Amino acid sequence: MATEGSGGLAQTAAVKLSEMGERTKQLGTAIQDPERQRRIILVIVCVALLLDNMLYMVIVPIVPDYLARLESESERAHVTQNPSNSTHYQAQKGKFDVQIGVLFASKAILQLLVNPFTGTFIDRVGYDIPLLIGLSIMFVSTCIFAFAENYATLFVARSLQGLGSAFADTSGIAMIADKFTEEAERSRALGIALAFISFGSLAAPPFGGVLYEFVGKRVPFIVLACVCLADGILCLTVLKPFSNRTRENMLVGTPIYKLMIDPYIAVVAGALTVCNIPLAFLEPTIANWMEENMGSSQWEIGLTWLPAFFPHILGVYITVKLASQYPHLQWFYGALGMVIIGASSCLVPACKNFEQLIIPLCGICFGIALVDTALLPTLAFLVDVRYVSVYGSVYAIADISYCVAYALGPIMAGKIVHDLGFVQLNLGMGLVNVLYAPALLLLRNVCLMKPSHSERNMLLEEGATGLYDTIKMEERLSKKHGYSTSGKCVPIDENGTFAGQSRSFSEEETSEPEYI
């Protein structure tokens, strides 16, 4: 009987193992499906962007208070023993504020310095390995944050996060642009990524503040580290960055310095910097202003930016919908967003209570959503039609644009408020946004651009890998129907040429793209 029971258990175990093996095989097959793989890649990238922005903002309610507690006892003892040195205490407090500003800015500064090199690296090796490198560095940075007990260690952790972001953010956005090749779906995917960025930035302060208050400093960072580890494992499983890959047909990306001097890309980069200046400069200054002028409570200060998440999502949704129907007006959506940001910035100092302040802050985030959602896909399209469809360097430029604003904010905002005043700071930021908006008129004819000669007759033996590749494949199929899918802007005549073009593609000078 015992032998029969043992045999039955063994048979049951074998059946279950077989079922598990079959399910694992089905899961592997499902993951390899191109459409599902694209969705999984979008999830991986969005989680990476969420983590980066949560780690960027979660320290706002934690680190200043934590460092102040570490130094308060020694400073108070010093003043008690020698009351005449109260001036020295005030000087030390001023120095402490500068240290906090430098700590906050160190992430953006290092990211700004490293991005030109990471963009070139991403163009050379692809998107998956840099994404994994970025997640790994962010995991280490988060663990250091959790167990750091002095300013120097926190500074190292913050700087490491900038290095990880330079890899993860740039490669993640570039991967989305590469995998989602059709304009409408690319805008939608980038809009989803921007929603995760917004949620991470706006939800992190209350998330970190609550956990810090009730369970201590380490728990918020440990939670983020666990999510980062899970995302890295998913990246290894799905993308398989270290598998045997052929690089024979890998296009060589355009050098980043050439992209930087492109007037269209420069205008977009400038817009991304200018539109983020109000957010970057208000984050380190608005809490003190609310406390001094409104008598706001700590919970109001902690929830200052959270309501702005919803208009940001609304702005992303509206821009994606409009871009799918009127793609030639992308420049207008960006310009409109900058005007809204400028007007909202000017209204901030006029607010008298917390409820009134929510309105202009929501306007700022709504405008930023319009600008980002309209112009990030435009960068990819400019690369597709003017250069080679490799996106690492162009999105490194976009990341540099953000970093310029967020590097200057923590360092300069406090000094500007001290020297000129909070009102002048906001009026200046609003004026800069309104004055820059007309510069986006330069982009009004972008959708009429013709693809660059270097890729015009490229044979797509392995399928489309970028937007222009997809456009060319669709054009070959649609010549006989007499229309073009390139931005839905330029008609094609019955001979397969652009309307008004004097000669066909086959008659033009062409050159083969450069491969590694």
Side-chain angles (χ1 to χ4, degrees), residues 307-329:
F309 169 72
F310 300 101
H312 188 278
I313 298 300
L314 178 63
V316 170
Y317 178 80
I318 290 174
T319 309
V320 169
K321 288 295 184 181
L322 289 174
S324 64
Q325 298 182 15
Y326 310 102
H328 59 288
L329 293 177

Side-chain angles (χ1 to χ4, degrees), residues 34-71:
E35 184 61 31
R36 291 187 179 181
Q37 191 173 48
R38 288 200 310 169
R39 294 177 182 176
I40 296 173
I41 288 172
L42 182 60
V43 170
I44 293 172
V45 172
C46 288
V47 171
L49 296 172
L50 172 72
L51 283 166
D52 178 50
N53 286 272
M54 286 198 73
L55 188 56
Y56 177 77
M57 292 298 296
V58 77
I59 72 169
V60 171
I62 297 176
V63 170
D65 184 71
Y66 178 71
L67 289 176
R69 288 184 182 183
L70 292 179
E71 296 189 6

Side-chain angles (χ1 to χ4, degrees), residues 124-359:
R124 292 290 179 179
V125 305
Y127 310 114
D128 42 10
I129 291 178
L131 179 60
L132 183 62
I133 292 173
L135 287 170
S136 302
I137 297 174
M138 287 167 57
F139 174 76
V140 173
S141 169
T142 312
C143 292
I144 295 175
F145 264 121
F147 298 98
E149 295 183 352
N150 55 64
Y151 179 85
T153 311
L154 289 170
F155 186 86
V156 170
R158 183 70 165 175
S159 300
L160 268 180
Q161 190 210 349
L163 180 62
S165 300
F167 282 98
D169 291 5
T170 306
S171 60
I173 297 293
M175 185 181 291
I176 291 176
D178 184 72
K179 296 298 181 181
F180 294 85
T181 54
E182 197 270 324
E183 273 193 272
E185 66 177 8
R186 176 183 282 174
S187 296
R188 191 182 308 114
L190 288 173
I192 293 172
L194 289 171
F196 274 81
I197 292 174
S198 172
F199 181 75
S201 298
L202 302 178
F207 165 80
V210 170
L211 290 181
Y212 173 64
E213 181 71 24
F214 292 104
V215 293
K217 176 180 79 75
R218 294 181 179 178
V219 174
F221 298 108
I222 291 175
V223 170
L224 294 178
C226 291
V227 177
C228 188
L229 180 62
D231 197 41
I233 292 173
L234 187 61
C235 178
L236 274 173
T237 305
V238 176
L239 301 181
K240 299 178 180 178
F242 300 110
S243 61
N244 292 327
R245 303 175 305 163
T246 177
R247 300 177 68 244
E248 294 178 357
N249 294 325
M250 195 169 178
L251 289 169
V252 174
T254 307
I256 191 169
Y257 70 88
K258 288 187 177 180
L259 298 178
M260 283 182 170
I261 61 176
D262 183 291
Y264 300 102
I265 293 176
V267 167
V268 174
L272 294 176
T273 299
V274 171
C275 78
N276 280 277
I277 284 177
L279 189 60
F281 279 61
L282 282 175
E283 282 174 349
T285 57
I286 198 169
N288 288 335
W289 180 78
M290 290 174 64
E291 195 170 359
E292 293 174 0
N293 292 272
M294 297 181 180
S296 300
S297 60
Q298 290 299 315
W299 73 265
E300 288 178 329
I301 293 174
L303 296 177
T304 301
W305 293 99
L306 189 58
F309 169 72
F310 300 101
H312 188 278
I313 298 300
L314 178 63
V316 170
Y317 178 80
I318 290 174
T319 309
V320 169
K321 288 295 184 181
L322 289 174
S324 64
Q325 298 182 15
Y326 310 102
H328 59 288
L329 293 177
Q330 295 276 54
W331 66 272
F332 176 74
Y333 311 142
L336 178 62
M338 300 194 78
V339 172
I340 293 174
I341 294 169
S344 300
S345 297
C346 294
L347 290 175
V348 169
C351 298
K352 302 300 182 182
N353 53 57
F354 178 74
E355 291 74 17
Q356 292 178 2
L357 182 61
I358 289 176
I359 297 174

